């Protein structure tokens, strides 16, 4: 399993964990998910005088927030030129303005929390060695949208040729310290926070959320789990990807503070991190479809950038994170089709800023206050012409996952050929079984059918997890839910009882 630089350099050793939910609790709002969206929403609602309960399945910041880039910006990772083609200039301008406002909100909270957030303003720099037209197009889009963009220089990084597009006034922070600090702040303002409290049932209509050890009765439910838990039509439209990152201690690094994006044939990003006198270079590669790639190869491609620079004593970190891409390039934020449930999803690779923006929109909606961005990201919008291509591709992939082919079952493996510390799908007694052999040789068998909608999970050798290619649910080797829309654990399989005592 991987470990992010954010968790590795966290200011708080988490000695004082939040309690597990126990018994029945009442609140105005129950928030599911302790990442930047959920914690920010909790803080804002607490400030607005609402009784708030926040439920985190594992530990605060465990999910994508603690495995992100720590970059905050008003533009988009995939570029705003694409949004202009689908939605027009006015929407581009509103997206940039709304995201700018969200970065400002992070800055204000960071000032409350203190130095551990490492918040600082910096430029965002885009460059290319082989496709300058993409950057020219983005420049025109940004300029027309009122973004303060200019041409400058960049020479320090691989692939840089000197000329670069620069957007001043963006920001960076330590996302894990920020979320933990904001949770402390929210708790001091009356928010009840529980960890190790995964939602196992969301009873929309009753506004009731159950965990294994308790329940919360509220007036509204905010599902801030990156993609909503349960079954939503949106799942069939969003593309789910995993991105890979590495950080190496780099004492002689002279790169200035900034967000650096390489465009063109090679797509990757760089940034510097300075924590407690140590200096790190972080790089992020291009993402791959969840469950349908080789995670070890993807990480190796990112890490290969650093090989020449590393000394044995230097600290190094590697990690991965999931992203959900909406088909029309805008996230879905607001009221879901279920009357007391609010959702926020489809952030793409831009979730730290969008998560903060979503928190503000959801808070305002719940307390009945106008929010000028709410209509732009309305979760119930229907834009078939803008979404058709990706929606068709994703639904085709799910169909394949359900009816069976290479996507459904990677390759059947003989159980005896699974080495310690590895997993594979085996066919036994006519069913697909996800079989993991632990380092001591013990076998752990669970059903390979994803508990969301039944697609077959795939082994992720890097994270030691079972990943579903259909909508991105991920499960531990014991079948427990790590992330994604699934609520239930993978069904345990008793190999001895099913007549497979010989497996192994
Ligand atoms: Fe939807 Fe697995 S079937 S995430």
């Amino acid at each position: 399993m991987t470990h992010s630089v954010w968790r590795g350099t966290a200011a708080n050793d988490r000695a004082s964990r939040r309690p597990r939910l126990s018994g029945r609790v009442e609140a105005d709002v129950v928030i599911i998910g302790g990442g930047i969206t959920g914690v920010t929403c909790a803080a804002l609602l607490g400030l607005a005088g609402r009784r708030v309960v926040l439920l985190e399945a594992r530990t605060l910041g465990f999910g994508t927030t603690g495995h992100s880039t720590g970059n905050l910006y008003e533009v988009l990772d995939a570029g705003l030129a694409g949004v202009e083609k689908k939605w027009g200039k006015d929407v581009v301008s509103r997206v940039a303005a709304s995201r700018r406002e969200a970065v400002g909100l992070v800055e204000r909270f960071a000032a409350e929390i203190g130095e551990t957030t490492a918040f600082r303003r910096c430029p965002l720099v885009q460059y290319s060695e082989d496709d300058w037209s993409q950057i020219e197009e983005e420049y025109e889009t940004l300029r027309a949208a009122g973004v303060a963009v200019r041409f400058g220089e960049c020479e320090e990084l691989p692939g840089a040729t000197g000329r670069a597009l620069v957007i001043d006034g963006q920001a960076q922070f330590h996302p894990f310290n920020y979320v933990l600090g904001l949770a402390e702040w929210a708790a001091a303002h009356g928010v009840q926070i529980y960890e190790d409290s995964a939602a196992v049932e969301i009873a929309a209509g009753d506004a009731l959320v159950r965990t294994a050890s308790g329940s919360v009765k509220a007036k509204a439910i905010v599902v801030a789990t990156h993609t909503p838990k349960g079954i939503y039509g949106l799942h069939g439209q969003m593309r789910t990807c995993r991105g890979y990152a590495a950080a190496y201690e780099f004492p002689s690094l002279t790169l200035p503070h900034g967000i650096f994006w390489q465009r063109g044939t090679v797509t990757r990003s760089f940034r510097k991190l300075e924590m407690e006198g140590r200096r790190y270079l972080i790089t992020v590669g291009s993402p791959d479809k969840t469950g349908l790639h080789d995670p070890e190869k993807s990480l190796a491609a990112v890490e290969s950038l650093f090989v020449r620079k590393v000394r044995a004593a230097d600290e190094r970190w590697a990690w991965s994170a999931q992203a959900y891409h909406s088909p029309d390039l805008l996230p879905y934020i607001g009221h879901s089709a279920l009357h007391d449930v609010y959702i926020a999803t489809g952030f793409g690779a831009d979730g730290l800023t969008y998560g903060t923006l979503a928190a503000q929109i959801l808070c305002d909606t719940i307390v009945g206050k106008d929010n000028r961005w709410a209509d732009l990201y309305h979760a119930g919008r229907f834009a078939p012409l803008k979404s058709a291509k990706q929606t068709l591709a994703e639904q085709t992939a799910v169909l394949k996952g359900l009816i069976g082919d290479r996507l459904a079952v990677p390759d059947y493996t003989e159980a005896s050929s699974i080495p310690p510390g590895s997993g594979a799908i085996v066919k036994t007694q006519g069913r697909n079984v996800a079989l993991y052999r632990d380092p001591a040789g013990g076998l752990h068998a669970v059903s390979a059918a994803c508990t969301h909608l039944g697609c077959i999970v795939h082994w992720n050798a890097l994270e030691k997890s079972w990943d579903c290619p259909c909508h991105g649910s991920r499960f531990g080797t014991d079948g427990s839910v790590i992330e994604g829309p699934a609520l239930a654990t993978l069904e345990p399989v008793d190999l001895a009882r099913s007549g497979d005592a010989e497996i192994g």
Side-chain angles (χ1 to χ4, degrees):
M1 287 175 63
T2 61
H3 201 64
S4 76
V5 73
W6 311 115
R7 297 178 71 198
T9 59
N12 184 337
D13 64 5
R14 308 292 289 122
S16 58
R17 287 263 163 87
R18 302 282 164 187
R20 193 172 200 222
L21 178 68
S22 172
R24 184 181 162 104
V25 174
E26 298 211 348
D28 294 322
V29 184
V30 54
I31 297 173
I32 305 170
I36 195 165
T37 308
V39 171
T40 309
C41 193
L44 291 167
L45 284 164
L47 203 55
R50 297 302 188 272
R51 294 175 304 149
V52 182
V53 169
L54 186 145
L55 302 174
E56 163 55 44
R58 295 184 179 230
T59 54
L60 294 170
F62 170 86
T64 303
T65 300
H67 296 84
S68 59
T69 59
N71 293 327
L72 300 155
Y73 41 84
E74 65 196 77
V75 296
L76 296 182
D77 176 74
L80 276 164
V83 174
E84 183 178 356
K85 283 178 195 139
K86 281 192 189 282
W87 293 97
K89 288 185 192 314
D90 182 51
V91 165
V92 171
S93 181
R94 295 186 74 205
V95 168
S98 62
R99 288 176 55 83
R100 198 177 307 138
E101 202 171 280
V103 176
L105 179 58
V106 175
E107 185 169 28
R108 290 198 295 283
F109 272 134
E112 294 274 345
I113 298 163
E115 279 181 8
T116 59
T117 65
F119 181 95
R120 67 161 68 224
R121 290 284 179 173
C122 66
L124 188 157
V125 179
Q126 300 186 37
Y127 63 93
S128 178
E129 60 182 337
D130 57 13
D131 187 3
W132 193 253
S133 65
Q134 198 181 343
I135 291 184
E136 296 276 9
E137 183 183 38
E138 186 70 0
Y139 173 81
E140 292 304 329
T141 296
L142 298 182
R143 202 173 52 84
V147 174
V149 62
R150 64 182 170 82
F151 284 113
E153 293 180 353
C154 177
E155 290 174 339
E156 299 92 338
L157 290 165
T161 56
R163 195 171 174 225
L165 178 151
V166 180
I167 307 160
D168 293 308
Q170 310 308 296
Q172 293 177 322
F173 69 156
H174 191 300
F176 195 65
N177 282 351
Y178 176 82
V179 162
L180 296 185
L182 188 54
E184 290 280 347
W185 189 91
H189 286 76
V191 173
Q192 295 180 59
I193 300 175
Y194 298 94
E195 293 182 315
D196 191 22
S197 300
V200 296
E201 184 187 348
I202 300 170
D206 294 333
L208 181 74
V209 177
R210 286 199 176 83
T211 70
S213 56
S215 63
V216 185
K217 175 80 178 98
K219 296 173 188 148
I221 301 170
V222 172
V223 187
T225 47
H226 210 193
T227 190
K229 292 277 180 197
I231 297 173
Y232 290 81
L234 293 173
H235 291 139
Q237 303 175 19
M238 289 191 292
R239 186 165 46 88
T240 309
C241 297
R242 292 196 70 74
Y244 294 83
Y248 281 70
E249 191 174 358
F250 200 149
S252 60
L253 185 67
T254 56
L255 189 72
H257 283 288
I259 304 163
F260 297 89
W261 289 350
Q262 183 176 358
R263 302 302 201 191
T265 310
V266 177
T267 305
R268 56 193 171 186
S269 80
F270 299 92
R271 64 159 289 186
K272 179 168 77 173
L273 171 69
E274 285 179 331
M275 291 298 293
E276 296 178 348
R278 306 185 88 144
R279 196 173 290 178
Y280 305 87
L281 179 61
I282 301 173
T283 190
V284 180
S286 51
D288 296 298
K289 171 101 174 129
T290 300
L292 293 179
H293 65 281
D294 181 338
E296 291 177 309
K297 262 193 196 157
S298 298
L299 179 60
V302 174
E303 287 187 311
S304 64
L305 291 168
F306 293 90
V307 167
R308 293 187 311 270
K309 313 281 187 187
V310 178
R311 302 170 310 175
D314 290 342
E315 283 188 330
R316 51 200 289 176
W317 311 94
W319 66 99
S320 65
Q322 197 136 293
Y324 299 88
H325 297 263
S326 83
D328 63 13
L329 306 182
L330 297 181
Y332 301 101
I333 301 167
H335 222 165
S336 75
L338 307 170
H339 90 275
D340 46 12
V341 178
Y342 298 80
I343 60 171
T345 189
F347 298 161
D350 310 297
L352 293 172
T353 305
Y354 266 143
T356 304
L357 175 61
Q360 184 70 71
I361 291 172
L362 295 178
C363 173
D364 289 347
T365 306
I366 289 168
V367 303
K369 189 174 159 193
D370 277 346
N371 183 296
R372 61 187 171 137
W373 314 120
D375 66 314
L376 179 60
Y377 301 110
H378 176 46
R381 72 176 179 272
F382 182 55
L385 292 178
K386 297 178 173 69
S387 310
K389 193 172 166 194
Q390 181 174 312
T391 300
L392 185 63
E394 293 308 310
Q395 291 179 349
T396 303
V398 172
L399 267 181
K400 284 181 178 173
L402 290 169
I403 63 176
D405 71 353
R406 173 89 178 59
L407 177 63
V409 181
D411 282 316
Y412 288 122
T413 303
E414 290 295 324
S416 57
S417 68
I418 301 173
S422 189
I425 304 297
V426 300
K427 187 90 169 177
T428 174
Q429 298 289 306
R431 68 192 294 201
N432 295 309
V433 173
L435 193 62
Y436 170 67
R437 187 186 300 277
D438 66 34
L443 286 174
H444 306 263
V446 290
S447 166
C450 175
T451 56
H452 182 228
L453 288 173
C455 291
I456 301 300
V457 296
H458 290 215
W459 175 241
N460 180 333
L462 181 70
E463 302 290 6
K464 309 285 184 227
S465 63
W466 297 108
D467 297 359
C468 181
C470 287
H471 313 108
S473 288
R474 297 180 59 239
F475 305 86
T477 52
D478 59 354
S480 61
V481 178
I482 297 173
E483 65 180 317
L487 283 159
T489 58
L490 294 175
E491 186 193 340
V493 173
D494 185 339
L495 295 174
R497 252 178 98 183
S498 63
D500 293 302
E502 72 279 10
I503 280 188

